[in-house]
């Protein structure tokens, strides 16, 4: 049975699309047939982050409106087997995602895929609500920053009340917290909320901590999900998050404030390839 | 030129071209190039609807004159570049067409063309 995962946050710019692209790629690398679906109608960006923007012919809205079939709109990734992208429309507005249309497409995807990763738009309006409505699990992307934590808290409430599972009285959506853009140096200096602070306030199970990393921008520049970058700390942190999602127990190595031998003597910059 | 000399020239060229290779493109340059292609396309096409759905319909109608195809087995892909775009149309023909080959030469040609894509 397919699992629908929504990647959401409320606040914009925290890393939802990066996470949807990267996590989806990670699931496909584990051998699961995965579709990553862009719900941000009018401001599509998932195609750019996944590096398939030149191959978009039909989109999610075309499938909803019957202008194209699902398998024509799905773009097969050229790097990872079993990974597909369903881009959204750049010209329509968010009202194009009517509930019946989304139900039809999600239903068709569920018949053919193991995981459907829904990249939610920012905000809490119709677009975001369409993205979370059919979800079985949710990844809430949060930056260690007050407005992001507040918006995430709001999202926790929406996931618990506005989903199909909530409306039909089924088991609630399983929620996971993913902290992104985490800077251990600033946490150490007391300039940034630490993991425990965020966990204390949101009280969600922690899926992963993604360190602030230069490789994330480099990966988006080239349209490569950062999980495909072997030497990137962010890529490794996403790989750990996927493994935890699969039930493995893994240490949160990127949240640690402990410094290595070299760093303690001031050679950290020389040693670390990835800031 | 004998074989040995030819081999030597080939190897030397290989070595020199190794030293001459340009440095790998920086990621910011790649980002700029991708954006330029994308924005140019989006600014031009935002007013005009895509002709691709209509094209697909027309192609299916033409094919249907000659052979029965499953709509699910028609794939249209496009790869846009800065100078030129590639339209890739894949039509999977049913196996039954094989048996009718001898009767219908037109179909045979059609199948050959489809296999070449």
């Amino acid at each position: 049975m397919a699992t629908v995962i929504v990647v959401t946050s409320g606040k914009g710019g925290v890393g939802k699309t990066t996470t949807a692209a990267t996590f989806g790629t990670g699931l496909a690398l584990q051998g699961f047939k995965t579709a990553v679906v862009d719900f941000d109608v009018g401001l599509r960006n998932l195609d750019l982050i996944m590096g398939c923007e030149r191959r978009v012919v039909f989109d999610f809205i075309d499938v909803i409106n019957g202008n194209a079939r699902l398998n024509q709109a799905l773009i097969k990734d050229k790097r990872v087997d079993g990974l597909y992208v369903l881009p959204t429309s750049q010209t329509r507005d968010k009202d194009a995602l009517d509930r019946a249309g989304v139900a039809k497409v999600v239903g068709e995807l569920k018949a053919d895929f193991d995981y459907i990763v829904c990249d939610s738009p920012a905000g809490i309006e119709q677009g975001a609500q369409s993205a979370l409505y059919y979800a079985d699990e949710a990844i809430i992307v949060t930056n260690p920053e007050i407005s992001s934590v507040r918006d995430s808290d709001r999202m926790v409430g929406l996931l618990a009340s506005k989903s199909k599972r909530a409306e039909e009285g089924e088991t609630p959506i399983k929620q996971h917290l993913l902290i992104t853009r985490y800077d251990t140096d600033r946490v150490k200096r007391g300039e940034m909320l630490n993991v425990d602070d965020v966990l204390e306030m949101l009280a969600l199970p922690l899926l992963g901590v993604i360190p602030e990393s230069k490789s994330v921008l480099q990966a988006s520049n080239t349209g490569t999900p950062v999980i495909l970058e072997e030497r990137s700390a962010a890529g490794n942190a996403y790989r750990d998050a996927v493994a935890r999602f699969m039930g493995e127990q893994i240490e949160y190595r990127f949240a640690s404030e402990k410094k290595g031998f070299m760093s303690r003597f001031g050679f950290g910059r020389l040693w670390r390839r990835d800031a | 030129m004998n074989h040995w000399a030819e081999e030597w020239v080939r190897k030397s060229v290989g070595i020199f071209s190794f030293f001459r290779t340009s440095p790998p493109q920086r990621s910011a340059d790649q980002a700029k190039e991708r954006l330029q292609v994308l924005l140019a396309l989006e600014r031009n096409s935002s007013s005009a609807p895509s002709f691709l759905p209509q094209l697909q319909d027309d192609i299916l109608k033409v094919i249907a004159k000659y052979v029965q195809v499953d709509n699910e087995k028609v794939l249209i892909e496009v790869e846009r570049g800065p100078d030129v775009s590639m339209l890739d149309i894949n039509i999977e023909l049913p196996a039954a067409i094989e048996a009718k080959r001898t009767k219908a030469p037109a179909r045979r040609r059609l199948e050959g063309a489809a296999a070449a894509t």
Side-chain angles (χ1 to χ4, degrees):
Chain A
M1 186 62 193
T3 304
V4 180
I5 305 169
V6 61
V7 178
T8 188
S9 69
K11 191 177 182 298
V14 297
K16 281 183 298 296
T17 301
T18 299
T19 298
T22 306
F23 203 83
T25 305
L27 291 170
L29 286 171
Q30 296 266 329
F32 297 102
K33 195 174 178 192
T34 304
V36 189
V37 184
D38 193 345
F39 276 77
D40 201 349
V41 184
L43 291 170
R44 84 167 165 227
N45 276 318
L46 180 68
D47 55 334
L48 265 176
I49 300 299
M50 299 281 288
C52 62
E53 75 279 0
R54 294 184 192 183
R55 298 168 62 207
V56 176
V57 180
F58 300 111
D59 58 52
F60 194 177
I61 309 299
D62 287 326
V63 180
I64 288 179
N65 294 344
N67 297 332
R69 295 182 317 278
L70 181 60
N71 76 339
Q72 289 180 303
L74 283 167
I75 302 172
K76 189 178 188 309
D77 190 90
K78 287 183 172 172
R79 298 157 297 208
V80 181
D81 250 8
L83 178 62
Y84 293 79
V85 179
L86 182 58
T88 193
S89 167
Q90 179 71 344
T91 49
R92 310 295 180 81
D93 59 52
K94 302 222 190 303
D95 300 331
L97 284 179
D98 68 286
R99 194 147 286 175
V102 175
K104 187 189 86 173
V105 177
V106 170
E108 263 185 74
L109 285 169
K110 282 177 90 164
D112 203 27
F113 285 86
D114 299 312
Y115 285 102
I116 296 123
V117 179
C118 306
D119 180 23
S120 172
I124 53 172
E125 287 82 25
Q126 203 202 334
Q129 294 195 16
S130 304
L132 71 82
Y133 191 73
Y134 294 98
D136 301 305
E137 307 208 22
I139 297 174
I140 300 177
V141 182
T142 305
N143 290 167
E145 181 269 330
I146 51 172
S147 59
S148 175
V149 175
R150 180 203 212 175
D151 289 0
S152 294
D153 190 56
R154 185 82 201 281
M155 206 33 106
V156 170
L158 278 181
L159 285 163
S161 61
K162 298 279 188 187
S163 67
K164 182 169 181 284
R165 283 176 170 268
E167 283 178 5
E168 294 178 2
E170 293 171 42
T171 341
I173 293 176
K174 190 173 172 193
Q175 301 189 23
H176 308 266
L177 179 67
L178 187 77
I179 300 177
T180 57
R181 310 200 68 166
Y182 193 74
D183 186 333
T184 46
D185 291 339
R186 303 197 71 181
V187 168
K188 208 181 171 196
R189 290 200 296 269
E191 296 172 6
M192 185 180 263
L193 294 171
N194 68 30
V195 172
D196 293 332
D197 295 334
V198 179
L199 284 176
E200 189 188 321
M201 285 178 278
L202 292 176
L204 290 172
L206 183 63
L207 187 62
V209 179
I210 313 298
E212 176 74 60
S213 166
K214 288 181 179 169
S215 53
V216 173
L217 178 60
Q218 291 205 316
S220 92
N221 279 344
T222 59
T224 316
V226 74
I227 203 163
L228 296 175
E229 304 287 352
E230 294 279 327
R231 293 199 300 211
S232 155
N236 283 316
Y238 272 113
R239 228 164 287 147
D240 287 359
V242 172
R244 280 187 208 107
F245 189 84
M246 294 296 148
E248 284 179 47
Q249 299 287 323
I250 292 173
E251 186 207 350
Y252 296 92
R253 50 180 163 155
F254 298 103
S256 154
E257 289 159 42
K258 272 179 270 166
K259 291 242 165 171
F261 173 80
M262 292 295 273
S263 307
R264 222 172 291 161
F265 290 92
F267 294 110
R269 288 276 154 209
L270 289 175
W271 188 247
R272 283 189 294 166
R273 287 201 190 90
D274 192 339
Chain B
M1 213 189 312
N2 66 29
H3 177 72
W4 180 85
E6 240 173 77
E7 184 78 347
W8 185 84
V9 167
R10 195 177 58 77
K11 276 186 179 157
S12 315
V13 169
I15 287 166
F16 285 118
S17 67
F18 172 77
F19 284 114
R20 252 188 281 115
T21 46
S22 55
Q25 199 186 14
R26 293 180 307 164
S27 77
D29 298 335
Q30 287 185 51
K32 191 176 175 190
E33 190 200 310
R34 292 172 65 211
L35 274 171
Q36 280 170 336
V37 172
L38 188 71
L39 295 183
L41 279 164
E42 284 183 354
R43 284 173 188 153
N44 289 333
S45 63
S46 55
S47 51
S50 170
F51 61 87
L52 286 163
Q54 192 56 52
L55 173 71
Q56 178 198 313
D57 266 5
D58 292 350
I59 287 172
L60 280 173
K61 277 179 201 149
V62 174
I63 304 269
K65 280 192 198 169
Y66 300 91
V67 59
Q68 204 64 35
V69 286
D70 181 356
N71 278 10
E72 291 291 321
K73 300 289 167 66
V74 179
L75 267 188
I76 299 188
E77 284 181 34
V78 76
E79 176 94 46
R80 297 181 188 88
D83 304 316
V84 70
S85 294
M86 291 286 292
L87 188 66
D88 183 0
I89 301 170
N90 268 289
I91 302 161
E92 195 181 310
L93 298 178
I97 194 172
E98 200 76 12
K100 292 176 192 164
R101 253 187 174 188
T102 46
K103 280 188 227 162
R107 286 181 190 173
R108 192 190 309 159
R109 281 202 299 274
L110 184 73
E111 193 196 20
T117 58

